[in-house]
């Protein structure tokens, strides 16, 4: 892949530095996924997170039990009702994660140049000499000279709470290591990461399957974040598992790329998955740090061209304890937007951080500033060129709608859709204005009862950059013939006006199906 497309071809237009960021119903086009946990699970805090711009709530099952997460989810539902802000639910699996178990929870000091033994014998007490692990096959995968990292918050890059080991010998099931840096490990569980080594653990563990088929089914999860995806087969197996679980056949699978193995098979994983999460904390440990930026740019470009959402993690770690991000982090968030990210995922920052709401709000403001200078023209040309000719009917309509909206300086694109596909295609061309995706519910039956589809489709667009869903009332026609009939278009326009995106005398581009044909039209509003 040639890297010239990664650069901005024209200098960034200098936005007036003193120009205040205007408060808006859509603070940013880039979406924010917030992980809910100890510091962000009350109705009050979740409501504030939704108002600050969180549109997807992530439940990380490496933490606590299903009952704990259920309580948090009930609070989320209440917060959605009171704030009237839509929010999707993402379940994050534990996956092939290896852990050191410290039953006594006493802090363990490790001294540089000393030795420590990793053992699968869980009867041992964790100490400075021996660390019991939850996986029997480590010795089979390791050889002299390999690198292992262990730490409680391993992927934040904090060096004092994590340790770097080099394998000096393998003895039976034990792995004997030399300690490279002095560190103190505190807490009951530490993550263990073997760098660039294939670990023979299933991607969907039995524990994950149990959580998905109970908690996941009960709560009709919108997204499954598949930890440690290494091959396309991992995604296929997860999809097959979900397809048998009623409503979850509609759940989207986001492959979490966390190691070199996942990057090596990136293209085939992207084909199978509905979206990608680039887990930069893990990648930063598996890859030399100087290589991370290139894989990030390359992966985001591929996701953009495939029209699949790309989510980036580990952006403002310092906000876990501070009210402001570092300058480097602020620049990093902006660059993620310029590189084409759909969403920013906050982990520790909202889960256990002291400032969950401020973090969401700060990240949203940085994204909004970067979006002002995103080179849409260059991006549009690249995407059209990548799609090639002849274009499919839908692709042609989507790109025409975006081109028309930009030419007439429309304030919003309204797209009527039932599967959500048309709206996602429009968003793929990254218009500079929001896309209001009006999801028209379809009546479907399983022979026992009738139900409307549409809620999944609406919520799943909450992770796509620039897409803002609204679920239409199935009783309303898409457009009225008589002036008295309340049409869906009028409801959508009123929604846009109420939220401040549409003003009188604005132009609006509407994309809809009429019979067998798809139509793009430009409306000029009078009042």
């Amino acid at each position: 892949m040639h890297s010239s497309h990664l650069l901005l071809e024209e200098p960034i237009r200098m936005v007036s530095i003193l120009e205040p960021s205007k408060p808006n119903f859509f603070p940013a086009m880039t979406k924010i996924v917030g992980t809910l946990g100890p510091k962000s699970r009350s109705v009050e805090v979740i409501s504030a997170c939704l108002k600050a711009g969180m549109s997807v709530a992530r439940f990380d099952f490496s933490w606590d039990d299903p009952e704990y997460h259920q309580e948090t989810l009930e609070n989320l539902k209440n917060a959605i009702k009171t704030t009237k802000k839509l929010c999707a639910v993402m379940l994050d699996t534990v996956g092939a994660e290896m852990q050191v178990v410290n039953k006594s929870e006493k802090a363990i000091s490790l001294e540089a140049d000393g030795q420590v033994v990793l053992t699968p014998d869980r009867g041992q007490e964790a100490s400075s000499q021996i660390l019991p692990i939850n996986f029997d096959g480590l010795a089979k995968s390791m050889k002299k000279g390999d690198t292992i990292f262990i730490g409680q918050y391993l992927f934040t890059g904090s060096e004092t709470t994590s340790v770097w080991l080099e394998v000096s010998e393998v003895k039976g099931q034990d792995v004997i290591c030399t300690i490279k840096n002095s560190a103190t490990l505190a807490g009951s569980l530490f993550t263990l990461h073997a760098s660039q080594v294939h670990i023979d653990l299933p991607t969907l563990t039995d524990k994950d399957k149990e959580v998905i088929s109970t908690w996941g089914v009960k709560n009709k999860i919108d997204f499954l974040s598949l930890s440690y995806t290494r091959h396309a087969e991992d995604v296929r197996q997860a999809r097959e598992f979900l397809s048998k679980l009623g409503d979850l056949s509609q759940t989207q699978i986001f492959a979490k790329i966390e190691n070199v193995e996942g990057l090596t098979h990136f293209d085939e994983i992207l084909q199978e998955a509905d979206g990608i999460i680039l887990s930069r904390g893990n990648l930063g440990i598996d890859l030399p740090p100087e290589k991370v930026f290139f894989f990030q740019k390359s992966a985001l470009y591929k996701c953009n061209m495939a029209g699949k959402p790309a989510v980036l993690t580990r952006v403002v770690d310092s906000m876990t304890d501070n009210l402001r991000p570092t300058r480097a982090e602020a620049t990093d968030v902006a660059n993620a937007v310029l590189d084409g990210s759909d969403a920013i995922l906050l982990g520790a920052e909202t889960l256990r951080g002291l400032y969950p709401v401020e973090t969401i709000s700060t990240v949203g403001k940085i994204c909004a500033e970067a979006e002002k200078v995103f080179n849409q023209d260059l991006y549009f040309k690249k995407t059209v060129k990548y799609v090639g000719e002849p274009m499919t009917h839908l692709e042609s309509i989507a790109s025409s709608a975006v081109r028309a909206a930009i030419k007439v300086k429309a304030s919003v694109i309204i797209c009527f859709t039932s599967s959500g596909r048309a709206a996602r295609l429009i968003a793929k061309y990254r218009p500079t204005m929001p896309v209001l995706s009006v999801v028209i519910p379809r009546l479907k039956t399983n022979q026992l009862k009738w139900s409307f589809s549409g809620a999944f489709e609406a919520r799943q667009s909450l992770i796509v950059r620039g897409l803002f869903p609204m679920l239409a009332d199935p009783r309303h026609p898409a457009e009225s013939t008589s002036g008295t009939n309340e049409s869906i278009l009028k409801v959508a326009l009123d929604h846009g006006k109420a939220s401040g995106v549409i003003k009188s005398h604005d132009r609006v581009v509407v994309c809809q199906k009429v019979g067998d044909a798809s139509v793009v039209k430009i409306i000029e509003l009078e009042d």
Side-chain angles (χ1 to χ4, degrees):
M1 189 187 77
H2 197 256
S3 57
S4 64
H5 68 258
L6 306 174
L7 306 172
L8 292 155
E9 275 180 12
E10 55 188 59
I12 282 187
R13 178 175 53 82
M14 288 312 285
V15 179
S16 160
I17 300 300
L18 299 171
E19 189 184 302
S21 304
K22 292 189 248 349
N24 187 338
F25 177 74
F26 305 130
M29 306 276 264
T30 308
K31 302 302 175 71
I32 297 173
V33 181
T35 305
L36 301 185
K39 290 283 191 289
S40 53
R41 60 192 301 257
S42 67
V43 176
E44 192 184 359
V45 175
I46 297 174
S47 300
C49 287
L50 292 171
K51 285 181 188 158
M54 173 178 84
S55 63
V56 180
R58 170 176 169 258
F59 292 81
D60 182 356
F61 275 80
S62 318
W63 274 73
D64 230 304
D65 55 23
E67 288 70 39
Y68 177 87
H69 290 299
Q70 191 63 44
E71 263 174 47
T72 309
L73 184 59
E74 296 308 324
N75 290 346
L76 170 66
K77 286 179 190 164
N78 286 334
I80 292 170
K81 275 200 193 90
T82 54
T83 59
K84 297 190 170 46
K85 299 265 187 210
L86 274 179
C87 186
V89 170
M90 175 183 278
L91 185 160
D92 199 317
T93 63
V94 179
E97 185 166 272
M98 294 181 289
Q99 289 166 332
V100 171
V101 188
N102 179 19
K103 282 189 286 214
S104 72
E105 298 196 24
K106 289 194 189 100
I108 297 165
S109 302
L110 298 168
E111 294 297 323
D113 303 324
Q115 285 211 323
V116 67
V117 178
L118 305 178
T119 179
D121 177 1
R122 298 195 257 304
Q124 298 269 13
E125 215 35 60
S127 70
S128 307
Q129 289 79 44
I130 196 152
L131 297 173
I133 58 171
N134 68 344
F135 173 55
D136 295 341
L138 185 67
K140 283 206 266 318
S141 307
M142 304 308 291
K143 61 183 187 310
K144 187 174 165 44
D146 279 345
T147 303
I148 292 175
F149 294 94
I150 294 175
Q152 186 180 13
Y153 305 131
L154 189 52
F155 305 119
T156 58
S158 164
E159 290 307 322
T160 52
T161 60
S162 58
V163 67
W164 171 18
L165 307 175
E166 190 178 291
V167 176
S168 50
E169 69 169 305
V170 176
K171 232 183 191 169
Q173 285 196 309
D174 291 352
V175 179
I176 299 158
C177 303
T178 303
I179 303 163
K180 305 289 277 186
N181 68 306
S182 298
T184 301
L185 302 179
S188 57
L189 271 186
F190 319 119
T191 304
L192 182 146
H193 181 90
S195 199
Q196 302 203 18
V197 170
H198 172 77
I199 297 297
D200 199 15
L201 270 168
T203 303
L204 257 192
T205 63
D206 290 344
K207 188 182 163 202
D208 289 330
K209 285 180 175 173
E210 189 192 334
V211 163
I212 294 165
S213 51
T214 52
W215 195 90
V217 168
K218 177 180 174 183
N219 298 303
K220 297 185 181 174
I221 53 166
D222 303 297
F223 301 110
L224 178 73
S225 158
L226 191 61
S227 293
Y228 296 97
T229 303
R230 294 164 286 186
H231 298 271
E233 189 50 39
D234 296 341
V235 183
R236 281 193 287 271
Q237 284 174 1
R239 178 116 33 224
E240 198 182 324
F241 179 68
L242 290 179
S243 70
K244 299 187 177 96
L245 297 173
D247 285 324
L248 295 202
S249 59
Q250 286 179 271
T251 298
Q252 287 190 346
I253 298 173
F254 274 52
K256 214 165 161 195
I257 307 294
E258 315 204 38
N259 54 23
V260 170
E261 219 177 328
L263 281 177
T264 310
H265 304 113
F266 186 84
D267 294 0
E268 63 203 51
I269 291 171
L270 177 60
Q271 270 189 313
E272 286 292 330
D274 297 301
I276 295 284
I277 297 172
L278 274 184
S279 187
R280 295 191 309 171
N282 302 49
L283 279 172
I285 275 182
D286 220 40
L287 280 171
E290 67 274 17
K291 300 257 193 224
V292 177
F293 87 95
F294 184 73
F295 281 109
Q296 171 179 321
K297 285 180 183 292
S298 161
L300 290 178
Y301 172 74
K302 287 173 175 176
C303 290
N304 290 168
M305 293 305 113
K308 291 186 175 181
V311 184
L312 221 57
T313 69
R314 294 258 86 95
V315 288
V316 285
D317 283 320
S318 70
M319 285 195 79
T320 308
D321 306 306
N322 300 302
L323 203 41
R324 284 167 64 103
T326 65
R327 267 58 66 207
E329 288 171 329
T331 306
D332 181 42
V333 173
N335 277 322
V337 172
L338 297 177
D339 283 348
S341 261
D342 282 81
I344 300 290
L345 189 154
L346 301 172
E349 302 98 321
T350 53
L351 175 100
R352 58 183 173 83
L354 305 178
Y355 307 104
V357 181
E358 292 84 350
T359 304
I360 292 168
S361 161
T362 302
V363 168
K365 280 183 198 149
I366 300 168
C367 290
E369 285 298 317
E371 286 156 12
K372 287 181 192 171
V373 294
F374 181 74
N375 192 335
Q376 201 283 332
D377 192 41
L378 175 66
Y379 182 90
F380 188 90
K381 284 178 185 144
K382 263 186 347 204
T383 313
V384 168
K385 189 175 165 196
Y386 182 88
V387 169
E389 287 175 4
M391 271 187 171
T392 62
H393 178 95
L394 257 180
E395 197 84 56
S396 157
I397 291 288
S399 56
S400 305
V402 174
R403 183 177 277 134
I406 285 166
K407 292 276 186 261
V408 303
K409 294 195 162 41
S411 53
V412 68
I413 298 173
I414 294 177
C415 174
F416 293 104
T417 177
S418 54
S419 68
R421 193 162 149 241
R424 279 201 303 276
L425 265 187
I426 290 175
K428 178 174 101 167
Y429 287 91
R430 294 280 189 258
T432 46
M433 64 291 294
V435 180
L436 261 184
S437 151
V438 182
V439 180
I440 306 197
R442 281 184 300 194
L443 199 55
K444 56 176 192 175
T445 178
N446 60 0
Q447 265 66 58
L448 294 171
K449 64 177 195 294
W450 288 89
S451 63
F452 281 110
S453 72
F456 267 102
E457 289 80 359
R459 289 192 305 263
Q460 283 165 345
S461 55
L462 290 166
I463 205 164
V464 180
R465 176 145 142 200
L467 210 46
F468 298 90
M470 160 187 168
L471 200 52
D473 184 327
R475 291 167 304 194
H476 288 169
E479 217 164 316
S480 65
T481 36
S482 68
T484 52
N485 201 343
E486 183 89 297
S487 71
I488 291 180
L489 178 60
K490 184 177 181 310
V491 175
L493 290 169
D494 289 346
H495 178 66
K497 285 175 191 162
S499 52
V501 261
I502 306 175
K503 298 179 292 304
S504 49
H505 306 295
D506 272 0
R507 287 164 174 174
V508 170
V509 167
V510 179
C511 184
Q512 67 182 126
K513 263 190 148 165
V514 176
D516 291 338
S518 296
V519 181
V520 172
K521 57 185 179 183
I522 300 157
I523 301 177
E524 196 145 349
L525 301 175
E526 284 127 32
D527 50 4

